[in-house]
Amino acid sequence: LQVWSKVVSVRDDVPGVVEAAWKVPIQHSILREWNIISAKDEEDLPGTPNLQPQSHLKVLIRCPLFTFTPKVQDKIAEEYKSANSEGAPVKGAVIVETSDMIEYLQSGLDDADHTPFWLYFHGGGLVLGNELCPLVPKDARIMHQHQQKQLEEEFADGERKLRPIVTLSVDYRRAPEHVFPTPYIDGLSAIDAVRKELLTKNPNTPLHVYGLSAGAYIAMTCTMALMQCEAEAAKACAKRITSLNGCVPMLSPTTNTLSYHMNRISCRSCPVGFLRWSWKAYLQLPNTGKEEEDGSFGMDSAMKAWKESPIYHNKTLRRLCDPLREGGVPFAALKDLPIFVSTNTADPLHDEGKELADQLRANGCTAVEYHEHRGSHCIGYAVDANAEEDRLVSYSRTMFGHGK
């Protein structure tokens, strides 16, 4: 965060990044209200753990100070200096009130039409992680540094200035306490809240939906559901989505691809056993304490438990859980949407990401970009020194609209 803040800094007396914590209402009935599932589908859902109902999601909002008009910048600077009158070091982020941040994003953007909103769903196997994922400011910093380089090369006379990015990192609820279809509910609630609360006054502001690993599952499945939904609110959300990005996506509960078996000992950061346990916790599949043989490769997977679950025997729920394998990908609706998919060759999840990209391309989706690099899962990008930068540089072209 401090490095990103330094990269985008525009004045010496205030940190370069502004931050606020936003509580987004959870629309618990959104799947039924938007007719994504029926009353019968709802009856077929397994019982959920007895938990205290949660009313809101946490969304961490961060953006460069120069996102806002000079007048708003001055106001934020004055409030920061007043609160830090004893001369606290200038680093990190300026923390502002949520209501102020919402107002600034609604009415105080310096260039609303060219300020991308980046909705980020963190990784963690649907069981770990939160909105403080350090990859968000790191990735934003890399994209801003590339943008600076591109502007220096293409617009040496200063004709165009650096464009900001508004990051919105979602703390969705996780298994085993919160099971399917909770991530759908949380993902759709977050997208709808961004549309209603932040983008209504700025009709041309782009919204980029991004997910990492399990977060890619949420980002992609929620977007796919929106693209097929006839509810007016859902169609309004779908129209606002400018691009979709799945980084090392975790997509299928079968856990029986060849890469699961070939890479079972290569991924210390994301072990195969953890992935299979995560799917079982999320879908409330029976967990025998050992992996089961499914017969497809004569090796272990969660296939048997998945096919015996009540969710699998309901076609609608099965397609929501596993759109890649169960015919739930709306290829026609995704035809012109920029979609980014990235994988690692030694990742157990490699084949799922590649299969998604291949299916999209084979079915007429014309704006699919696929990146494959060495290493194992997201942490494994470090094995390939240029991989992560190449991926984010490519993504920044769509995010900021410049470069080749």
Side-chain angles (χ1 to χ4, degrees):
L1 175 61
Q2 291 183 26
V3 177
W4 180 34
S5 186
K6 185 176 180 180
V7 166
V8 297
S9 178
V10 291
R11 48 197 300 171
D12 297 332
D13 56 343
V14 182
V17 173
V18 184
E19 172 184 311
W22 182 27
K23 289 187 177 181
V24 169
I26 298 173
Q27 300 181 54
H28 293 281
S29 302
I30 195 168
L31 296 179
R32 284 284 292 111
E33 291 174 0
W34 289 7
N35 294 317
I36 294 173
I37 65 173
S38 67
K40 174 61 169 63
D41 299 329
E42 203 165 39
E43 291 175 2
D44 287 345
L45 289 169
T48 57
N50 184 21
L51 295 171
Q52 187 73 23
Q54 184 173 325
S55 60
H56 291 79
L57 303 172
K58 290 183 289 184
V59 176
L60 183 62
I61 306 174
R62 287 173 172 154
C63 60
L65 179 63
F66 69 81
T67 302
F68 306 115
T69 63
K71 182 178 179 180
V72 172
Q73 291 183 41
D74 290 342
K75 180 182 178 183
I76 292 172
E78 287 304 315
E79 291 176 353
Y80 173 81
K81 287 186 285 186
S82 176
N84 295 274
S85 56
E86 296 182 1
V90 177
K91 61 182 180 179
V94 181
I95 299 175
V96 301
E97 294 292 333
T98 304
S99 57
D100 291 338
M101 177 67 92
I102 300 299
E103 179 184 348
Y104 300 154
L105 292 175
Q106 288 177 341
S107 306
L109 296 177
D110 191 45
D111 185 1
D113 290 354
H114 298 104
T115 299
F117 280 55
W118 191 31
L119 187 62
Y120 190 106
F121 295 94
H122 65 79
L126 296 169
V127 298
L128 299 172
N130 57 37
E131 79 283 9
L132 297 173
C133 176
L135 297 179
V136 182
K138 180 183 70 64
D139 289 359
R141 182 261 302 169
I142 292 174
M143 287 191 286
H144 267 125
Q145 286 177 322
H146 170 68
Q147 187 189 173
Q148 287 177 332
K149 181 180 179 182
Q150 288 295 118
L151 294 180
E152 289 170 1
E153 293 175 354
E154 298 179 27
F155 301 95
D157 58 356
E159 179 183 340
R160 274 180 52 180
K161 62 182 180 179
L162 193 66
R163 289 176 178 171
I165 178 173
V166 178
T167 68
L168 304 135
S169 181
V170 183
D171 183 27
Y172 56 86
R173 292 171 292 171
R174 298 168 296 280
E177 295 83 3
H178 300 281
V179 295
F180 175 82
T182 302
Y184 263 102
I185 294 170
D186 292 357
L188 294 173
S189 295
I191 294 171
D192 195 39
V194 171
R195 174 188 69 87
K196 291 188 298 189
E197 299 295 328
L198 303 183
L199 301 181
T200 301
K201 295 183 180 181
N202 301 305
N204 298 318
T205 300
L207 173 62
H208 302 269
V209 179
Y210 180 102
L212 172 70
S213 190
Y217 171 78
I218 298 173
M220 293 196 153
T221 53
C222 284
T223 300
M224 291 175 188
L226 287 172
M227 295 295 179
Q228 303 174 77
C229 187
E230 292 300 318
E232 290 303 317
K235 289 194 287 187
C237 287
K239 286 178 63 176
R240 295 310 302 259
I241 297 176
T242 307
S243 76
L244 177 62
N245 193 319
C247 180
V248 292
M250 169 183 166
L251 295 174
S252 178
T254 59
T255 71
N256 74 330
T257 62
L258 184 60
S259 62
Y260 259 92
H261 303 299
M262 297 296 289
N263 297 330
R264 63 184 298 122
I265 62 172
S266 67
C267 190
R268 300 287 177 161
S269 63
C270 190
V272 164
F274 166 74
L275 291 169
R276 289 181 176 143
W277 176 85
S278 297
W279 278 115
K280 289 181 177 182
Y282 169 60
L283 297 173
Q284 299 185 80
L285 305 181
N287 188 24
T288 62
K290 61 181 181 179
E291 295 167 353
E292 302 138 356
E293 189 173 298
D294 68 18
S296 59
F297 289 107
M299 298 184 184
D300 300 328
S301 79
M303 175 74 85
K304 181 179 179 182
W306 166 232
K307 288 193 172 182
E308 291 176 352
S309 73
I311 296 173
Y312 181 84
H313 292 284
N314 179 298
K315 183 177 180 180
T316 300
L317 300 181
R318 185 169 75 242
R319 291 178 70 183
L320 285 176
C321 277
D322 192 2
L324 183 63
R325 303 289 176 77
E326 301 295 339
V329 181
F331 297 110
L334 297 171
K335 180 177 180 296
D336 299 316
L337 182 71
I339 301 175
F340 299 80
V341 181
S342 53
T343 63
N344 291 119
T345 53
D347 190 344
L349 300 176
H350 168 271
D351 289 3
E352 295 171 33
K354 188 175 188 305
E355 183 179 347
L356 173 63
D358 289 346
Q359 282 195 24
L360 289 167
R361 286 170 168 168
N363 286 276
C365 296
T366 59
V368 178
E369 193 166 318
Y370 176 65
H371 292 261
E372 181 177 277
H373 300 289
R374 294 180 297 158
S376 185
H377 209 53
C378 54
I379 298 174
Y381 273 119
V383 176
D384 189 336
N386 299 316
E388 189 165 30
E389 185 171 351
D390 289 347
R391 174 179 66 86
L392 290 169
V393 162
S394 177
Y395 189 37
S396 73
R397 295 178 190 134
T398 292
M399 186 80 74
F400 300 117
H402 62 74
K404 298 179 181 180

